[in-house]
Amino acid sequence: METNDGNFKRIMAGLFFIACLIMIVVGVFIIGIDRGLTEPKFQVLVLFNQVSGLVEGSPIRISGVDVGVVGSIDFLSEPIEGRSLKVRLDIFKKYEFQFRKCSKVSIRTEGVLGQQFIEISEDHSLPVFDPTAPIIGEDPLDVEDMAAVITRTAISLQATSQGMQDVLHEWKYISIKTRKLLNRVDEKLLEGNLFKVF
């Protein structure tokens, strides 16, 4: 009797373990489908000088729509057109038509300190992509570069402000002199001596 009860508990524990494994596999499969792991993709190489925190698995977007993920990031053995990093984009096949209309690839940041993502967009001043050749991407704006630009702008604004103060000071001086001159003319007019010649 005790053996049957022990066997029953073992069988139930085994069934529970198998049910948990099945639930984990189904969960991973559903998440994989949601992330597009089972969708057919095509690959494109994009060359950058700097990826600024971009990682494998980062989203790729066209007009704000997620169309794929970053497949890999690696160094080139020889720089191509001044670029030393290659980023492989895995783009869902169903968005190939939209991709072929685009002509610009850049790295963007969500919010101020958010995650990095690849943005693909149309730029009518540039030729559309040739997916068989590596694409030259636009490097992200470096924080140090941005700080330098802000510093130069602040210095320029300070110089402009100083110049404006100098001009206002000159105008004030001219205004005082003009007022004095007009007061004298007014006095002479009242006295009737303005047009008298001695």
Side-chain angles (χ1 to χ4, degrees):
M1 181 89 173
E2 228 174 274
T3 349
N4 286 341
D5 192 35
N7 284 340
F8 179 74
K9 286 181 180 177
R10 284 191 199 106
I11 290 171
M12 290 305 289
L15 288 174
F16 180 74
F17 180 73
I18 290 171
C20 287
L21 281 178
I22 289 172
M23 287 174 56
I24 289 171
V25 168
V26 167
V28 167
F29 185 71
I30 289 172
I31 290 170
I33 288 174
D34 187 46
R35 295 279 294 161
L37 297 177
T38 58
E39 281 193 50
K41 301 176 185 81
F42 66 98
Q43 297 176 346
V44 178
L45 279 181
V46 182
L47 307 178
F48 292 101
N49 267 330
Q50 187 185 87
V51 292
S52 193
L54 188 74
V55 294
E56 292 180 14
S58 294
I60 301 167
R61 295 183 182 148
I62 297 176
S63 300
V65 176
D66 286 349
V67 297
V69 293
V70 173
S72 67
I73 300 170
D74 203 0
F75 288 96
L76 291 167
S77 54
E78 292 289 322
I80 299 174
E81 293 190 37
R83 306 297 203 269
S84 57
L85 292 169
K86 65 179 176 180
V87 177
R88 190 189 81 224
L89 307 182
D90 296 335
I91 301 173
F92 301 134
K93 203 84 162 129
K94 65 182 180 181
Y95 297 114
E96 189 171 2
F97 177 73
Q98 286 82 6
F99 175 80
R100 290 185 181 276
K101 295 191 301 183
C102 295
S103 54
K104 184 175 167 186
V105 177
S106 53
I107 298 174
R108 300 280 185 229
T109 305
E110 281 185 314
V112 177
L113 298 173
Q115 76 168 359
Q116 306 289 82
F117 66 94
I118 296 281
E119 182 177 73
I120 301 173
S121 57
E122 290 183 52
D123 186 344
H124 298 293
S125 65
L126 299 171
V128 294
F129 295 138
D130 175 11
T132 60
I135 297 167
I136 304 299
E138 288 186 3
D139 290 325
L141 185 60
D142 192 15
V143 175
E144 291 176 11
D145 292 344
M146 214 159 52
V149 168
I150 290 171
T151 302
R152 284 195 303 270
T153 304
I155 290 169
S156 174
L157 284 174
Q158 187 177 14
T160 303
S161 173
Q162 183 60 44
M164 292 286 288
Q165 285 180 348
D166 293 344
V167 167
L168 288 174
H169 183 67
E170 287 294 320
W171 274 104
K172 187 176 180 182
Y173 178 75
I174 291 170
S175 171
I176 291 170
K177 289 292 185 185
T178 305
R179 192 175 319 127
K180 284 182 180 178
L181 180 65
L182 288 175
N183 285 341
R184 282 187 141 175
V185 167
D186 193 37
E187 285 174 14
K188 295 293 181 184
L189 272 174
L190 288 175
E191 293 173 5
N193 295 333
L194 182 64
F195 297 108
K196 284 187 179 176
V197 178
F198 298 116

